[in-house]
Amino acid sequence: PQASMSLPGAKLRVELGSVKFDADGAPSFIIGNHQLKGKAIKLKEPFAVLRKRKIGQITKNDSSEGTSSEAKMRSHGGVELEVVGVVKKKLMFADYPKSIMR
């Protein structure tokens, strides 16, 4: 997998390097001519990655539990949160990078 970075609202993605996993599951991150070896650590509590979206047009048939869709729209500001993923592990790279020749 590639490691890339993008800023919120920007359409530009910057590729940082690549992450590869050894046979034992240890991650190796290569940035240019440098390699970092690390370890995958299970998080105590997983967390969700959310994407904020504005809700589209309201239809007349939108209603739940007796509240109108217009009232629902006002109650949460016209924003919907979508779960994009769940993070269960983090990658830790604590050692100094090793120079590699290509």
Side-chain angles (χ1 to χ4, degrees), residues 29-81:
F29 188 30
I30 298 174
I31 304 174
N33 291 332
H34 301 285
Q35 179 183 25
L36 291 109
K37 293 199 178 211
K39 55 185 174 180
I41 300 172
K42 185 177 178 183
L43 295 173
K44 292 177 185 175
E45 291 186 27
F47 64 90
V49 178
L50 303 175
R51 178 182 298 145
K52 187 191 311 186
R53 297 186 327 179
K54 291 184 180 180
I55 297 177
Q57 282 188 332
I58 303 170
T59 61
K60 290 184 179 181
N61 295 335
D62 271 348
S63 65
S64 68
E65 300 174 20
T67 58
S68 70
S69 58
E70 197 170 312
K72 285 182 358 188
M73 187 82 148
R74 280 192 299 258
S75 69
H76 52 70
V79 174
E80 179 179 82
L81 296 176

Side-chain angles (χ1 to χ4, degrees), residues 2-16:
Q2 296 292 322
S4 61
M5 179 180 76
S6 61
L7 298 173
K11 297 189 186 233
L12 178 68
R13 287 183 74 99
V14 178
E15 185 178 317
L16 296 176

Side-chain angles (χ1 to χ4, degrees), residues 36-39 92-96:
L36 291 109
K37 293 199 178 211
K39 55 185 174 180
M92 292 290 294
F93 301 97
D95 298 333
Y96 284 105

